[in-house]
């Protein structure tokens, strides 16, 4: 798996232009990509929602720009937990998807780097849709998720109130769905719920998936 992640990261460098602004998410594949960027000699500036990625860039002396200062990114790279042939993706294991989605929206191209085990014809939702919500909206959001056919669980932590809080100061809620027929409708219906800031289901954001396989690469494009 480590070798496949390195291969995927090395291939991703081909999509980076010199003297450009790039977005980088989190995870080990992005860590390898940072190494290859440094080795390539490319001059880039980086925007990232990940503290770990920011730390790696500082160590490699790659310039970091704060997300709030940027309204355009040339190319952004990230990983995901699952992606389908229509470029719908779930990013459920972290809690920085709101900032990740901002980066995806302002990038000319938003590329997900994955291995073939994470690709399905249609999202299976074996991972939850993660919500960042206002604390005051917890009860209301739980009710609305149930009305949409799902089950909501607050992500637990060792904090005094037992709530997991995102970097943006919002509560993290995991929502489980089965037999989803219309992915984009579910995406839009959840975002309409008052108190929901963003969700880890990415629809109409990803422009390309670079998929590393045992014997090469596959690409899914918009």
């Amino acid at each position: 798996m480590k070798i496949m992640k390195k291969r995927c990261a090395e291939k991703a460098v081909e999509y980076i232009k010199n003297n450009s602004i790039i977005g980088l998410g989190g995870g080990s594949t992005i860590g390898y990509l940072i190494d290859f960027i440094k080795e390539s000699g490319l001059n880039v500036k980086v925007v990232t929602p990940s503290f770990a990625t920011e730390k790696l860039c500082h160590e490699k002396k790659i310039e970091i720009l704060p997300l709030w200062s940027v309204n355009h990114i040339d190319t952004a790279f990230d990983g995901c937990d699952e992606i389908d042939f229509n470029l719908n993706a779930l990013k459920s294991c972290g809690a920085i998807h709101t900032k990740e989605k901002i980066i995806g929206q302002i990038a000319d191209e938003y590329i997900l780097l994955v291995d073939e085990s994470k690709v399905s014809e249609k999202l299976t939702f074996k991972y939850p849709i993660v919500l960042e919500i206002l604390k005051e909206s917890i009860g209301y959001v739980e009710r609305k998720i149930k009305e949409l056919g799902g089950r909501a669980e607050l992500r637990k932590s060792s904090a005094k109130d037992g709530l997991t809080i995102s970097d943006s100061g919002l509560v993290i809620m995991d929502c489980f769905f089965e037999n989803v027929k219309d992915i984009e409708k579910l995406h839009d219906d959840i975002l309409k719920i008052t108190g929901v800031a963003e969700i880890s289901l990415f629809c109409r954001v990803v422009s390309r998936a670079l998929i590393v396989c045992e014997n090469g690469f596959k690409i899914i494009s918009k």
Side-chain angles (χ1 to χ4, degrees):
M1 184 61 71
K2 181 178 178 180
I3 293 174
M4 292 182 72
K5 288 183 176 182
K6 282 188 173 182
R7 286 175 50 216
C8 194
E10 187 173 20
K11 183 71 173 177
V13 175
E14 297 178 12
Y15 294 87
I16 300 176
K17 296 178 181 178
N18 198 32
N19 300 315
S20 63
I21 297 175
I22 64 172
L24 296 178
S28 56
T29 304
I30 297 299
Y32 295 133
L33 177 55
I34 292 169
D35 290 336
F36 286 122
I37 290 171
K38 187 64 178 180
E39 291 175 12
S40 72
L42 286 165
N43 178 41
V44 297
K45 297 178 181 179
V46 170
V47 179
T48 179
S50 166
F51 290 131
T53 297
E54 183 175 344
K55 182 175 182 293
L56 285 173
C57 287
H58 282 309
E59 291 174 357
K60 299 294 183 179
K61 294 182 170 48
I62 298 173
E63 184 177 352
I64 293 287
L65 299 175
L67 179 53
W68 60 263
S69 71
V70 174
N71 63 16
H72 170 261
I73 293 170
D74 294 290
T75 310
F77 302 90
D78 211 340
C80 68
D81 297 302
E82 186 181 12
I83 189 168
D84 67 20
F85 292 167
N86 292 314
L87 294 175
N88 299 307
L90 272 172
K91 297 174 59 61
S92 301
C93 294
I96 55 174
H97 52 267
T98 298
K99 293 178 182 178
E100 290 173 325
K101 197 172 283 188
I102 292 170
I103 288 173
Q105 293 284 12
I106 63 178
D108 288 343
E109 191 164 24
Y110 185 54
I111 303 174
L112 295 187
L113 310 177
V114 297
D115 66 80
E116 57 186 341
S117 69
K118 296 184 177 181
V119 183
S120 55
E121 184 175 354
K122 183 179 180 181
L123 290 183
T124 63
F125 292 92
K126 61 183 176 182
Y127 296 97
I129 300 175
V130 185
L131 280 55
E132 285 191 66
I133 67 173
L134 294 172
K135 183 177 181 180
E136 292 77 9
S137 71
I138 288 174
Y140 176 67
V141 174
E142 286 176 334
R143 192 188 93 198
K144 298 301 289 186
I145 291 297
K146 185 175 181 180
E147 290 175 4
L148 291 173
R151 173 174 57 86
E153 291 182 4
L154 291 172
R155 190 176 294 183
K156 298 178 181 179
S157 79
S158 58
K160 184 177 180 180
D161 57 8
L163 300 176
T164 297
I165 305 300
S166 73
D167 293 342
S168 301
L170 299 173
V171 173
I172 296 297
M173 177 182 284
D174 294 322
C175 298
F176 300 86
F177 290 87
E178 297 179 357
N179 302 315
V180 177
K181 294 181 179 179
D182 191 330
I183 293 174
E184 291 194 5
K185 184 178 186 303
L186 178 61
H187 170 275
D188 295 344
D189 285 344
I190 295 175
L191 279 178
K192 290 176 184 176
I193 300 173
T194 302
V196 174
E198 255 304 344
I199 66 177
S200 69
L201 175 58
F202 281 48
C203 293
R204 303 181 292 267
V205 180
V206 182
S207 54
R208 193 188 306 261
L210 177 56
I211 305 159
V212 62
C213 311
E214 289 289 345
N215 300 314
F217 297 91
K218 297 178 183 178
I219 296 174
I220 305 173
S221 297
K222 185 183 292 183

